[in-house]
Amino acid sequence: MSRFWSDKVRAITPYTPGEQPRHERLVKLNTNEFPYPPSPKVLEAIREVDGDALLRYPDPESLQLRSTIASYYGLEVEQIFVGNGSDEVLAHAFQGLLKQASPLLFPDISYSFYPVWADLYGIEYQQVPLDQAFCVSVADYRGDVGGIIIPNPNAPTGIALALAEIETLLQNNPDCVVVIDEAYVDFGAESAAALIRTYDNLLVIQTLSKSRALAGVRVGCAMGHPDLIEGLTRIKNSFNSYPLGVLAQRAATAAFEDKDYFRDTCARVISTRGGLSSALRAMGFEVLPSSANFVFARHPKHPAETLASELRARGVIVRHFGQARISEFLRISVGSEEQCEILLSELAEIL
Ligand code: PMP
């Protein structure tokens, strides 16, 4: 606390990012990074950047990257926005599109950054409870609504909504923006990008931090009607007009271009997730059905907090949230086959 803090700084409760250990050799299954390196073509694209490219400011419009994403999804470049990680893109959407007279709705169990941005920007919000099975019930999102944001698949549950349900949500709420946060979509859910031409109130947000193995580069994107994209661009150009450096733009473009590598490595993670889920169930865990690159699991006899700290002592880090309804669960990122084997053998000993 400092006497120089503004009222705003005094009032906010910031988001707590997952631990990024600096020195220890740990099996890191706590922040849902991809377990394999990015495509070799990404590394090549970074190596090809020369000094001349670095001494100048980058393209403020990230045109090449946006065109590549547009053609990947069969959209126009005016329908694509990019930013410094999807966290930045989400923050701009909160400030530029979701701050309205009526409250913003999002699930009670969801990405814990949402209430932080809502508080930062003074947005009134209501958290809509997931049902008994930890699923989003789209019928609960209607009435006096200023905006909706839902991750698909949801985090930290990993449970996905079908595209038809997202379409119902859009039809029920034509007068507010519906944001679908698709951070984990490539691991088993269907992208709502296919609905963008039909619904002018839909904004789909994705990240290159998970399925494209670029968490360290910080690139996220939004897709939607050109007017929504223009709204985000107005915020960006009132905040930081060069959010993506040259290296980030080149790396992200190459990642979208290498479709084969993307498809094959995601398939590996999905296959590892199946084995990990079965093995955890065999140990007595209840594992929610995951469409993401993590599993959410609880053991009827062993408190999650204790399991997390015992695993930590053995060099394996997983994520535990001390929040109501989910404090008995562990969120475990799907690592490489080898990392998952280490996790399972340490867990077997602890149990
Ligand atoms: N949305 C969800 C649901 C997430 O879990 C994360 C990762 N913490 C993000 C967005 C942000 O990812 P990034 O800023 O790395 O793109």
Side-chain angles (χ1 to χ4, degrees):
M1 177 79 89
S2 154
R3 69 196 164 94
F4 299 114
W5 284 6
S6 66
D7 291 346
K8 181 92 185 182
V9 172
R10 269 174 227 277
I12 53 182
T13 309
Y15 173 76
T16 313
E19 181 187 356
Q20 295 294 344
R22 288 197 177 82
H23 305 297
E24 297 160 90
R25 290 183 149 265
L26 294 167
V27 175
K28 193 176 174 307
L29 303 175
N30 66 331
T31 49
N32 303 336
E33 288 129 331
F34 206 62
Y36 306 111
S39 153
K41 292 184 179 152
V42 167
L43 300 177
E44 211 176 289
I46 292 173
R47 264 186 241 111
E48 279 170 7
V49 175
D50 61 18
D52 275 352
L54 294 180
L55 69 84
R56 292 196 198 95
Y57 283 104
D59 173 10
E61 293 177 19
S62 299
L63 208 54
Q64 199 190 354
L65 171 59
R66 287 169 56 227
S67 314
T68 304
I69 299 173
S71 68
Y72 185 91
Y73 279 106
L75 295 166
E76 306 302 321
V77 71
E78 297 75 26
Q79 292 171 300
I80 311 292
F81 178 85
V82 293
N84 190 263
S86 62
D87 278 343
E88 184 183 81
V89 179
L90 285 160
H92 290 348
F94 270 68
Q95 190 176 22
L97 304 171
L98 301 175
K99 183 176 166 71
Q100 304 291 345
S102 299
L104 169 66
L105 306 188
F106 51 84
D108 64 338
I109 296 163
S110 192
Y111 186 27
S112 51
F113 221 137
Y114 297 161
V116 176
W117 286 310
D119 288 339
L120 178 66
Y121 295 124
I123 302 169
E124 191 197 331
Y125 64 92
Q126 283 169 15
Q127 291 173 289
V128 182
L130 297 183
D131 70 14
Q132 285 302 313
F134 296 97
C135 297
V136 168
S137 161
V138 294
D140 297 341
Y141 292 75
R142 54 194 314 174
D144 178 28
V145 181
I148 295 172
I149 179 161
I150 298 178
N152 190 38
N154 196 11
T157 63
I159 297 175
L161 272 178
L163 206 53
E165 298 197 69
I166 290 174
E167 199 154 9
T168 304
L169 190 67
L170 289 159
Q171 284 165 357
N172 288 348
N173 299 280
D175 297 321
C176 73
V177 171
V178 175
V179 177
I180 304 298
D181 176 355
E182 295 190 345
Y184 303 102
V185 74
D186 298 319
F187 301 105
E190 249 181 302
S191 177
L195 302 176
I196 283 171
R197 288 188 191 277
T198 319
Y199 297 94
D200 65 359
N201 61 329
L202 169 63
L203 190 75
V204 174
I205 297 185
Q206 294 193 353
T207 176
L208 283 82
S209 299
K210 315 294 178 181
S211 57
R212 294 177 197 273
L214 291 177
V217 172
R218 308 301 298 131
V219 185
C221 64
M223 300 179 265
H225 189 280
D227 293 348
L228 298 184
I229 298 306
E230 191 187 339
L232 297 176
T233 307
R234 287 171 68 93
I235 296 275
K236 166 203 163 252
N237 287 334
S238 307
F239 177 75
N240 174 9
S241 49
Y242 303 102
L244 290 188
V246 170
L247 297 169
Q249 293 187 31
R250 302 262 188 109
T253 303
F256 265 99
E257 283 169 352
D258 195 347
K259 294 178 186 163
D260 291 344
Y261 185 88
F262 164 74
R263 193 194 49 234
D264 295 349
T265 51
C266 284
R268 266 166 89 180
V269 171
I270 292 168
S271 148
T272 307
R273 178 182 71 208
L276 174 64
S277 304
S278 314
L280 288 169
R281 288 191 184 108
M283 287 178 170
F285 281 92
E286 175 195 355
V287 185
L288 299 190
S290 173
S291 299
N293 68 335
F294 55 83
V295 296
F296 205 47
R298 68 178 157 194
H299 199 283
K301 297 203 189 93
H302 297 268
E305 198 172 1
T306 317
L307 286 178
S309 62
E310 292 195 24
L311 280 170
R312 180 74 176 72
R314 291 159 179 263
V316 180
I317 36 179
V318 299
R319 191 100 194 244
H320 171 256
F321 301 91
Q323 187 194 334
R325 288 188 81 189
I326 56 165
S327 60
E328 286 312 308
F329 282 87
L330 292 178
R331 192 196 67 188
I332 306 170
S333 307
V334 178
S336 62
E337 287 286 341
E338 190 194 352
Q339 289 175 313
C340 291
E341 273 164 29
I342 297 171
L343 163 89
L344 289 167
S345 74
E346 296 297 347
L347 263 181
E349 281 187 30
I350 294 166
L351 298 180

